[in-house]
PDB file of all heavy atoms in Angstrom:
ATOM      1  N   ARG A   1      -2.599  11.605  -0.800  1.00  0.00           N
ATOM      2  CA  ARG A   1      -2.795  12.346  -2.043  1.00  0.00           C
ATOM      3  C   ARG A   1      -2.284  11.637  -3.239  1.00  0.00           C
ATOM      4  O   ARG A   1      -1.478  10.810  -3.176  1.00  0.00           O
ATOM      5  CB  ARG A   1      -2.168  13.733  -1.814  1.00  0.00           C
ATOM      6  CG  ARG A   1      -0.622  13.533  -2.001  1.00  0.00           C
ATOM      7  CD  ARG A   1       0.042  14.944  -1.893  1.00  0.00           C
ATOM      8  NE  ARG A   1       1.454  14.938  -1.760  1.00  0.00           N
ATOM      9  CZ  ARG A   1       2.229  14.523  -2.797  1.00  0.00           C
ATOM     10  NH1 ARG A   1       1.821  14.371  -3.971  1.00  0.00           N
ATOM     11  NH2 ARG A   1       3.619  14.478  -2.556  1.00  0.00           N
ATOM     12  N   PRO A   2      -2.892  12.029  -4.356  1.00  0.00           N
ATOM     13  CA  PRO A   2      -2.399  11.418  -5.574  1.00  0.00           C
ATOM     14  C   PRO A   2      -0.927  11.744  -5.744  1.00  0.00           C
ATOM     15  O   PRO A   2      -0.396  12.742  -5.502  1.00  0.00           O
ATOM     16  CB  PRO A   2      -3.165  12.109  -6.668  1.00  0.00           C
ATOM     17  CG  PRO A   2      -4.467  12.495  -5.994  1.00  0.00           C
ATOM     18  CD  PRO A   2      -4.000  12.899  -4.511  1.00  0.00           C
ATOM     19  N   GLY A   3      -0.248  10.694  -6.123  1.00  0.00           N
ATOM     20  CA  GLY A   3       1.274  10.813  -6.327  1.00  0.00           C
ATOM     21  C   GLY A   3       2.035  10.672  -4.986  1.00  0.00           C
ATOM     22  O   GLY A   3       3.268  10.866  -4.974  1.00  0.00           O
ATOM     23  N   GLY A   4       1.343  10.323  -3.973  1.00  0.00           N
ATOM     24  CA  GLY A   4       1.974  10.236  -2.592  1.00  0.00           C
ATOM     25  C   GLY A   4       2.724   8.970  -2.443  1.00  0.00           C
ATOM     26  O   GLY A   4       2.750   8.156  -3.365  1.00  0.00           O
ATOM     27  N   ARG A   5       3.361   8.804  -1.319  1.00  0.00           N
ATOM     28  CA  ARG A   5       4.283   7.740  -1.066  1.00  0.00           C
ATOM     29  C   ARG A   5       3.886   7.153   0.269  1.00  0.00           C
ATOM     30  O   ARG A   5       3.677   7.844   1.293  1.00  0.00           O
ATOM     31  CB  ARG A   5       5.641   8.263  -0.909  1.00  0.00           C
ATOM     32  CG  ARG A   5       6.682   7.405  -1.456  1.00  0.00           C
ATOM     33  CD  ARG A   5       8.115   8.103  -1.232  1.00  0.00           C
ATOM     34  NE  ARG A   5       8.184   9.285  -2.121  1.00  0.00           N
ATOM     35  CZ  ARG A   5       9.061  10.233  -1.990  1.00  0.00           C
ATOM     36  NH1 ARG A   5      10.020  10.114  -1.064  1.00  0.00           N
ATOM     37  NH2 ARG A   5       9.189  11.272  -2.729  1.00  0.00           N
ATOM     38  N   ILE A   6       3.814   5.829   0.337  1.00  0.00           N
ATOM     39  CA  ILE A   6       3.541   5.086   1.575  1.00  0.00           C
ATOM     40  C   ILE A   6       4.779   4.163   1.876  1.00  0.00           C
ATOM     41  O   ILE A   6       5.154   3.398   0.984  1.00  0.00           O
ATOM     42  CB  ILE A   6       2.341   4.101   1.440  1.00  0.00           C
ATOM     43  CG1 ILE A   6       0.996   4.961   1.148  1.00  0.00           C
ATOM     44  CG2 ILE A   6       2.102   3.281   2.777  1.00  0.00           C
ATOM     45  CD1 ILE A   6      -0.180   4.149   0.932  1.00  0.00           C
ATOM     46  N   VAL A   7       5.401   4.475   3.005  1.00  0.00           N
ATOM     47  CA  VAL A   7       6.568   3.676   3.348  1.00  0.00           C
ATOM     48  C   VAL A   7       6.201   2.666   4.456  1.00  0.00           C
ATOM     49  O   VAL A   7       5.604   3.011   5.509  1.00  0.00           O
ATOM     50  CB  VAL A   7       7.748   4.572   3.896  1.00  0.00           C
ATOM     51  CG1 VAL A   7       8.919   3.755   4.249  1.00  0.00           C
ATOM     52  CG2 VAL A   7       8.062   5.678   2.915  1.00  0.00           C
ATOM     53  N   MET A   8       6.439   1.364   4.107  1.00  0.00           N
ATOM     54  CA  MET A   8       6.087   0.372   5.021  1.00  0.00           C
ATOM     55  C   MET A   8       7.254  -0.244   5.627  1.00  0.00           C
ATOM     56  O   MET A   8       8.320  -0.380   5.071  1.00  0.00           O
ATOM     57  CB  MET A   8       5.329  -0.804   4.282  1.00  0.00           C
ATOM     58  CG  MET A   8       4.150  -0.256   3.607  1.00  0.00           C
ATOM     59  SD  MET A   8       3.266  -1.483   2.492  1.00  0.00           S
ATOM     60  CE  MET A   8       4.578  -1.464   1.165  1.00  0.00           C
ATOM     61  N   TYR A   9       7.199  -0.630   6.979  1.00  0.00           N
ATOM     62  CA  TYR A   9       8.300  -1.253   7.657  1.00  0.00           C
ATOM     63  C   TYR A   9       7.680  -2.287   8.624  1.00  0.00           C
ATOM     64  O   TYR A   9       6.605  -2.256   9.020  1.00  0.00           O
ATOM     65  CB  TYR A   9       9.172  -0.243   8.286  1.00  0.00           C
ATOM     66  CG  TYR A   9       8.481   0.519   9.450  1.00  0.00           C
ATOM     67  CD1 TYR A   9       8.490   0.048  10.689  1.00  0.00           C
ATOM     68  CD2 TYR A   9       7.836   1.661   9.149  1.00  0.00           C
ATOM     69  CE1 TYR A   9       7.804   0.746  11.715  1.00  0.00           C
ATOM     70  CE2 TYR A   9       7.153   2.402  10.141  1.00  0.00           C
ATOM     71  CZ  TYR A   9       7.213   1.872  11.450  1.00  0.00           C
ATOM     72  OH  TYR A   9       6.566   2.595  12.369  1.00  0.00           O
ATOM     73  N   GLY A  10       8.507  -3.323   8.875  1.00  0.00           N
ATOM     74  CA  GLY A  10       8.208  -4.301   9.819  1.00  0.00           C
ATOM     75  C   GLY A  10       7.100  -5.194   9.382  1.00  0.00           C
ATOM     76  O   GLY A  10       6.293  -4.931   8.348  1.00  0.00           O
ATOM     77  N   ALA A  11       6.937  -6.391   9.921  1.00  0.00           N
ATOM     78  CA  ALA A  11       5.888  -7.283   9.671  1.00  0.00           C
ATOM     79  C   ALA A  11       5.682  -8.021  10.829  1.00  0.00           C
ATOM     80  O   ALA A  11       5.490  -9.278  10.897  1.00  0.00           O
ATOM     81  CB  ALA A  11       6.311  -8.196   8.516  1.00  0.00           C
ATOM     82  N   SER A  12       5.536  -7.360  12.042  1.00  0.00           N
ATOM     83  CA  SER A  12       5.464  -8.000  13.284  1.00  0.00           C
ATOM     84  C   SER A  12       4.080  -8.827  13.488  1.00  0.00           C
ATOM     85  O   SER A  12       4.050  -9.684  14.306  1.00  0.00           O
ATOM     86  CB  SER A  12       5.601  -7.031  14.445  1.00  0.00           C
ATOM     87  OG  SER A  12       4.751  -6.004  14.305  1.00  0.00           O
ATOM     88  N   SER A  13       3.116  -8.396  12.715  1.00  0.00           N
ATOM     89  CA  SER A  13       1.834  -9.082  12.782  1.00  0.00           C
ATOM     90  C   SER A  13       1.709 -10.174  11.684  1.00  0.00           C
ATOM     91  O   SER A  13       0.599 -10.624  11.605  1.00  0.00           O
ATOM     92  CB  SER A  13       0.726  -8.073  12.725  1.00  0.00           C
ATOM     93  OG  SER A  13       0.658  -7.362  11.406  1.00  0.00           O
ATOM     94  N   GLY A  14       2.722 -10.376  10.872  1.00  0.00           N
ATOM     95  CA  GLY A  14       2.599 -11.402   9.783  1.00  0.00           C
ATOM     96  C   GLY A  14       2.862 -10.814   8.417  1.00  0.00           C
ATOM     97  O   GLY A  14       2.975  -9.598   8.284  1.00  0.00           O
ATOM     98  N   ASP A  15       2.879 -11.616   7.525  1.00  0.00           N
ATOM     99  CA  ASP A  15       3.167 -11.165   6.108  1.00  0.00           C
ATOM    100  C   ASP A  15       1.946 -10.899   5.241  1.00  0.00           C
ATOM    101  O   ASP A  15       2.075 -10.369   4.187  1.00  0.00           O
ATOM    102  CB  ASP A  15       3.965 -12.276   5.412  1.00  0.00           C
ATOM    103  CG  ASP A  15       5.448 -12.324   5.966  1.00  0.00           C
ATOM    104  OD1 ASP A  15       5.924 -11.362   6.457  1.00  0.00           O
ATOM    105  OD2 ASP A  15       6.035 -13.455   5.936  1.00  0.00           O
ATOM    106  N   ASP A  16       0.758 -11.334   5.721  1.00  0.00           N
ATOM    107  CA  ASP A  16      -0.483 -11.220   4.787  1.00  0.00           C
ATOM    108  C   ASP A  16      -0.915  -9.816   4.853  1.00  0.00           C
ATOM    109  O   ASP A  16      -1.087  -9.276   6.022  1.00  0.00           O
ATOM    110  CB  ASP A  16      -1.435 -12.241   5.308  1.00  0.00           C
ATOM    111  CG  ASP A  16      -1.069 -13.663   5.085  1.00  0.00           C
ATOM    112  OD1 ASP A  16      -0.346 -13.912   4.194  1.00  0.00           O
ATOM    113  OD2 ASP A  16      -1.570 -14.509   5.798  1.00  0.00           O
ATOM    114  N   LEU A  17      -1.183  -9.269   3.761  1.00  0.00           N
ATOM    115  CA  LEU A  17      -1.719  -7.829   3.630  1.00  0.00           C
ATOM    116  C   LEU A  17      -2.617  -7.751   2.427  1.00  0.00           C
ATOM    117  O   LEU A  17      -2.316  -8.370   1.322  1.00  0.00           O
ATOM    118  CB  LEU A  17      -0.421  -6.902   3.387  1.00  0.00           C
ATOM    119  CG  LEU A  17      -0.770  -5.444   3.221  1.00  0.00           C
ATOM    120  CD1 LEU A  17      -1.498  -4.826   4.495  1.00  0.00           C
ATOM    121  CD2 LEU A  17       0.394  -4.724   2.860  1.00  0.00           C
ATOM    122  N   THR A  18      -3.766  -7.142   2.613  1.00  0.00           N
ATOM    123  CA  THR A  18      -4.680  -6.971   1.502  1.00  0.00           C
ATOM    124  C   THR A  18      -4.647  -5.491   1.122  1.00  0.00           C
ATOM    125  O   THR A  18      -4.819  -4.614   1.920  1.00  0.00           O
ATOM    126  CB  THR A  18      -6.172  -7.254   1.918  1.00  0.00           C
ATOM    127  OG1 THR A  18      -6.104  -8.716   2.368  1.00  0.00           O
ATOM    128  CG2 THR A  18      -7.097  -7.132   0.788  1.00  0.00           C
ATOM    129  N   VAL A  19      -4.317  -5.244  -0.129  1.00  0.00           N
ATOM    130  CA  VAL A  19      -4.250  -3.803  -0.716  1.00  0.00           C
ATOM    131  C   VAL A  19      -5.308  -3.699  -1.791  1.00  0.00           C
ATOM    132  O   VAL A  19      -5.324  -4.464  -2.769  1.00  0.00           O
ATOM    133  CB  VAL A  19      -2.862  -3.595  -1.249  1.00  0.00           C
ATOM    134  CG1 VAL A  19      -2.825  -2.192  -1.866  1.00  0.00           C
ATOM    135  CG2 VAL A  19      -1.815  -3.823  -0.186  1.00  0.00           C
ATOM    136  N   PRO A  20      -6.150  -2.669  -1.688  1.00  0.00           N
ATOM    137  CA  PRO A  20      -7.087  -2.337  -2.710  1.00  0.00           C
ATOM    138  C   PRO A  20      -6.281  -1.767  -3.936  1.00  0.00           C
ATOM    139  O   PRO A  20      -5.975  -0.523  -3.958  1.00  0.00           O
ATOM    140  CB  PRO A  20      -8.112  -1.404  -2.140  1.00  0.00           C
ATOM    141  CG  PRO A  20      -7.235  -0.767  -1.082  1.00  0.00           C
ATOM    142  CD  PRO A  20      -6.337  -1.755  -0.543  1.00  0.00           C
ATOM    143  N   ILE A  21      -5.810  -2.614  -4.854  1.00  0.00           N
ATOM    144  CA  ILE A  21      -4.868  -2.241  -5.786  1.00  0.00           C
ATOM    145  C   ILE A  21      -5.215  -1.061  -6.733  1.00  0.00           C
ATOM    146  O   ILE A  21      -4.453  -0.325  -7.125  1.00  0.00           O
ATOM    147  CB  ILE A  21      -4.371  -3.552  -6.564  1.00  0.00           C
ATOM    148  CG1 ILE A  21      -3.030  -3.298  -7.207  1.00  0.00           C
ATOM    149  CG2 ILE A  21      -5.380  -3.877  -7.681  1.00  0.00           C
ATOM    150  CD1 ILE A  21      -1.925  -3.270  -6.150  1.00  0.00           C
ATOM    151  N   ARG A  22      -6.446  -0.936  -7.109  1.00  0.00           N
ATOM    152  CA  ARG A  22      -6.983   0.249  -7.841  1.00  0.00           C
ATOM    153  C   ARG A  22      -6.686   1.471  -7.127  1.00  0.00           C
ATOM    154  O   ARG A  22      -6.415   2.527  -7.798  1.00  0.00           O
ATOM    155  CB  ARG A  22      -8.419   0.094  -8.211  1.00  0.00           C
ATOM    156  CG  ARG A  22      -8.663  -0.858  -9.346  1.00  0.00           C
ATOM    157  CD  ARG A  22     -10.118  -0.798  -9.776  1.00  0.00           C
ATOM    158  NE  ARG A  22     -10.494  -2.121 -10.261  1.00  0.00           N
ATOM    159  CZ  ARG A  22     -11.399  -2.934  -9.682  1.00  0.00           C
ATOM    160  NH1 ARG A  22     -12.099  -2.425  -8.695  1.00  0.00           N
ATOM    161  NH2 ARG A  22     -11.610  -4.181 -10.141  1.00  0.00           N
ATOM    162  N   SER A  23      -6.751   1.449  -5.851  1.00  0.00           N
ATOM    163  CA  SER A  23      -6.468   2.666  -4.972  1.00  0.00           C
ATOM    164  C   SER A  23      -4.951   3.102  -5.122  1.00  0.00           C
ATOM    165  O   SER A  23      -4.565   4.234  -4.716  1.00  0.00           O
ATOM    166  CB  SER A  23      -6.773   2.496  -3.609  1.00  0.00           C
ATOM    167  OG  SER A  23      -8.100   2.186  -3.482  1.00  0.00           O
ATOM    168  N   VAL A  24      -4.120   2.154  -5.642  1.00  0.00           N
ATOM    169  CA  VAL A  24      -2.728   2.524  -5.786  1.00  0.00           C
ATOM    170  C   VAL A  24      -2.373   2.989  -7.242  1.00  0.00           C
ATOM    171  O   VAL A  24      -1.731   3.909  -7.464  1.00  0.00           O
ATOM    172  CB  VAL A  24      -1.897   1.270  -5.560  1.00  0.00           C
ATOM    173  CG1 VAL A  24      -0.351   1.519  -5.796  1.00  0.00           C
ATOM    174  CG2 VAL A  24      -2.058   0.894  -4.022  1.00  0.00           C
ATOM    175  N   PHE A  25      -3.082   2.261  -8.197  1.00  0.00           N
ATOM    176  CA  PHE A  25      -2.834   2.483  -9.623  1.00  0.00           C
ATOM    177  C   PHE A  25      -3.303   3.825 -10.084  1.00  0.00           C
ATOM    178  O   PHE A  25      -2.611   4.664 -10.550  1.00  0.00           O
ATOM    179  CB  PHE A  25      -3.482   1.533 -10.577  1.00  0.00           C
ATOM    180  CG  PHE A  25      -2.926   0.086 -10.512  1.00  0.00           C
ATOM    181  CD1 PHE A  25      -3.637  -1.086 -10.720  1.00  0.00           C
ATOM    182  CD2 PHE A  25      -1.485  -0.057 -10.217  1.00  0.00           C
ATOM    183  CE1 PHE A  25      -3.038  -2.325 -10.787  1.00  0.00           C
ATOM    184  CE2 PHE A  25      -0.876  -1.345 -10.215  1.00  0.00           C
ATOM    185  CZ  PHE A  25      -1.665  -2.450 -10.571  1.00  0.00           C
ATOM    186  N   PHE A  26      -4.588   4.172  -9.844  1.00  0.00           N
ATOM    187  CA  PHE A  26      -5.169   5.338 -10.515  1.00  0.00           C
ATOM    188  C   PHE A  26      -4.551   6.675  -9.960  1.00  0.00           C
ATOM    189  O   PHE A  26      -4.277   7.565 -10.663  1.00  0.00           O
ATOM    190  CB  PHE A  26      -6.710   5.356 -10.378  1.00  0.00           C
ATOM    191  CG  PHE A  26      -7.371   4.261 -11.215  1.00  0.00           C
ATOM    192  CD1 PHE A  26      -8.129   3.245 -10.667  1.00  0.00           C
ATOM    193  CD2 PHE A  26      -7.123   4.213 -12.689  1.00  0.00           C
ATOM    194  CE1 PHE A  26      -8.676   2.221 -11.477  1.00  0.00           C
ATOM    195  CE2 PHE A  26      -7.661   3.189 -13.382  1.00  0.00           C
ATOM    196  CZ  PHE A  26      -8.435   2.260 -12.794  1.00  0.00           C
TER     197      PHE A  26
END
């Protein structure tokens, strides 16, 4: 939801991650 929080932990599959950044900003 807008204003929501995503908590990330671990990196067992590696450090590379692609984030659709506009989906975070707006």
Side-chain angles (χ1 to χ4, degrees):
R1 69 173 171 79
R5 218 179 291 167
I6 298 172
V7 179
M8 300 171 289
Y9 62 91
S12 57
S13 63
D15 291 329
D16 295 332
L17 176 66
T18 302
V19 176
I21 205 69
R22 282 189 213 114
S23 299
V24 174
F25 288 154
F26 293 120

